[in-house]
Amino acid sequence: MAPSKPPKAILFDIGGVCVLSPLEVIATYENKNNIPRDWINFAISRSSPRGFWQRLERGEINLDKAFFQGFNTDLRNEHLWEEFHTGFRNSKKKLKDVANPTQLGDHVSFKAEAADTSPTDQDRGAQSPPSESGDQGGGQPSLSKLAKDTTIGDPVSIESEEVAQSANTETSPPKIQSTASSSPSPPEATSTLEQLPPIPNIDGESLFWSMMAHSRKPDPYIFPALLRLENLPAKQKPILAALSNTVIFPAGHPYNRLTDSSESDPRNHFDVFVASAEVGSRKPDVDIYKLVIERLDKFDKEHGGDGVKAEDCVFLDDIGENLKTARSLGMRTIKVTLGKTWRAVKELEQTTGLELMDDKTRRSKL
């Protein structure tokens, strides 16, 4: 049943919502290279706010050789490697969101939530053409397995739950040796870092471009729903906005278009588009949310409306931390789950009172 007050504006994240999430690429990379699960996302998220990924998404640095050198450094941070093993991996907590890095929003923004069933053929594209044969390589884990086995933010935003620091920084008092004993003193304990496996040697540049390439494919459920919203009669159509963590590609790079065709490029379907790298702020920082509300309010008034407030908006994102900020401002939110994006469309239908699925998808999912 539709609510008494449908939203004036619908805000979409891009990566992991309108287009595919780079989470699958990260998990596959870790699996193929015997890298401990979650390490890449842990390293990216815990490098915040001054990590190279975060700085790139705020538009503070260029996407160039210096970025990839810095990104590789973040992925080989000894202190984070030690924390990952002694704190995160030894705790019962799991990363439920990772604030991302995804160009398409979340040029990276990775996130996964447990999926209780394996994706069906419809999950892989009921409303869109079959993916190219090269998309699913041999041995690549399913979305269901990724969701269960991976605790990841933005390519991919990655916001991790806090893991308590277990290392004690205080030095122990010196031991006093008894002169009566002739026994040799015990050897000094080996440092924690020396007891850990070596830090993985990750090719950050190769990983980055793989994530970007994967995130150029439209989501088979949410993107068609976006098109349906766009084509509604003017009196029914809500304001459509994008709020995305992004990166700026070098001038002339083909990825400056979010997808490979103008028809599927999300930028062409929004009334308001706020990209982190263009405004100097990224989710989940509250400033970027306030900015998109200001732009929505201005757009509505310029088109004869009485303005937009946070409570007039519903926001779809696949990162819990990003949704938390939105709710704190008064927005309604919808969590988009890896491998289950059709469920977000169903919830959006309930929120708006509009039909946003085609008959084939509705029969197979409801």
Side-chain angles (χ1 to χ4, degrees):
M1 180 179 294
S4 58
K5 186 181 179 182
K8 286 186 177 181
I10 302 176
L11 286 73
F12 294 82
D13 176 26
I14 301 299
V17 178
C18 294
V19 298
L20 301 184
S21 170
L23 168 64
E24 188 173 3
V25 174
I26 293 177
T28 299
Y29 186 93
E30 289 178 335
N31 183 56
K32 287 184 176 180
N33 293 281
N34 297 315
I35 296 170
R37 192 175 65 219
D38 298 335
W39 162 244
I40 292 174
N41 294 283
F42 182 89
I44 294 173
S45 64
R46 296 305 286 252
S47 296
S48 181
R50 298 302 303 164
F52 279 79
W53 192 282
Q54 289 81 11
R55 292 167 62 193
L56 183 70
E57 285 192 334
R58 290 193 298 265
E60 297 172 358
I61 57 178
N62 295 325
L63 179 54
D64 54 17
K65 183 177 180 180
F67 162 73
F68 289 116
Q69 290 175 340
F71 184 41
N72 283 329
T73 299
D74 287 344
L75 294 174
R76 293 187 58 80
N77 185 302
E78 292 183 354
H79 298 293
L80 293 180
W81 182 245
E82 182 174 350
E83 181 186 350
F84 177 73
H85 283 275
T86 61
F88 171 68
R89 295 194 82 196
N90 291 338
S91 76
K92 293 182 180 180
K93 293 184 179 181
K94 290 193 177 230
L95 287 176
K96 291 189 177 175
D97 293 297
V98 193
N100 215 180
T102 322
Q103 149 97 74
L104 311 192
D106 292 346
H107 270 204
V108 197
S109 261
F110 324 153
K111 338 71 191 199
E113 192 163 281
D116 50 21
T117 61
S118 299
T120 63
D121 290 339
Q122 289 87 356
D123 282 328
R124 298 186 178 96
Q127 302 192 70
S128 63
S131 60
E132 298 177 6
S133 59
D135 288 350
Q136 299 293 335
Q140 184 168 337
S142 68
L143 291 180
S144 175
K145 178 170 173 41
L146 293 176
K148 291 177 180 177
D149 292 352
T150 309
T151 51
I152 321 184
D154 164 62
V156 105
S157 220
I158 305 162
E159 257 48 60
S160 63
E161 295 185 4
E162 289 300 320
V163 180
Q165 295 277 358
S166 61
N168 186 348
T169 57
E170 296 181 3
T171 56
S172 302
K175 296 182 179 180
I176 301 177
Q177 296 281 339
S178 170
T179 56
S181 174
S182 59
S183 301
S185 59
E188 295 183 4
T190 305
S191 69
T192 303
L193 188 60
E194 292 176 350
Q195 298 176 37
L196 298 178
I199 302 176
N201 186 18
I202 298 171
D203 184 347
E205 183 169 2
S206 175
L207 176 63
F208 177 90
W209 290 117
S210 294
M211 292 189 294
M212 296 302 102
H214 185 72
S215 297
R216 298 182 65 74
K217 304 177 182 69
D219 181 83
Y221 300 103
I222 295 182
F223 189 74
L226 173 62
L227 296 181
R228 285 174 176 260
L229 287 166
E230 182 187 21
N231 292 317
L232 287 172
K235 290 184 178 180
Q236 288 183 274
K237 180 186 172 184
I239 303 171
L240 301 177
L243 178 59
S244 181
N245 288 346
T246 62
V247 306
I248 297 175
F249 293 103
H253 195 284
Y255 283 10
N256 281 314
R257 298 192 316 271
L258 290 186
T259 59
D260 292 326
S261 68
S262 59
E263 293 79 9
S264 61
D265 188 335
R267 279 186 182 270
N268 296 332
H269 305 286
F270 293 105
D271 302 305
V272 174
F273 199 106
V274 175
S276 65
E278 297 173 0
V279 301
S281 178
R282 65 188 293 275
K283 298 176 297 183
D285 296 339
V286 70
D287 289 348
I288 197 169
Y289 295 81
K290 292 180 178 179
L291 176 62
V292 75
I293 294 171
E294 289 176 6
R295 292 189 178 180
L296 287 167
D297 183 69
K298 179 180 178 182
F299 178 90
D300 189 46
K301 290 177 179 177
E302 288 176 347
H303 290 78
D306 57 1
V308 172
K309 298 179 181 179
E311 52 265 33
D312 298 321
C313 305
V314 60
F315 178 44
L316 289 80
D317 201 298
D318 57 341
I319 298 291
E321 193 71 15
N322 295 343
L323 296 173
K324 181 179 179 181
T325 303
R327 287 193 297 270
S328 73
L329 293 173
M331 293 184 188
R332 285 173 278 179
T333 61
I334 295 176
K335 178 67 180 288
V336 179
T337 302
L338 178 68
K340 302 285 183 179
T341 59
W342 62 269
R343 290 182 174 176
V345 177
K346 179 181 177 181
E347 187 173 348
L348 186 60
E349 287 187 324
Q350 295 170 342
T351 301
T352 61
L354 300 169
E355 292 189 2
L356 302 174
M357 291 184 185
D358 62 25
D359 292 339
K360 179 180 178 181
T361 301
R362 193 175 305 282
R363 287 194 302 268
S364 66
K365 295 301 180 186
L366 304 182

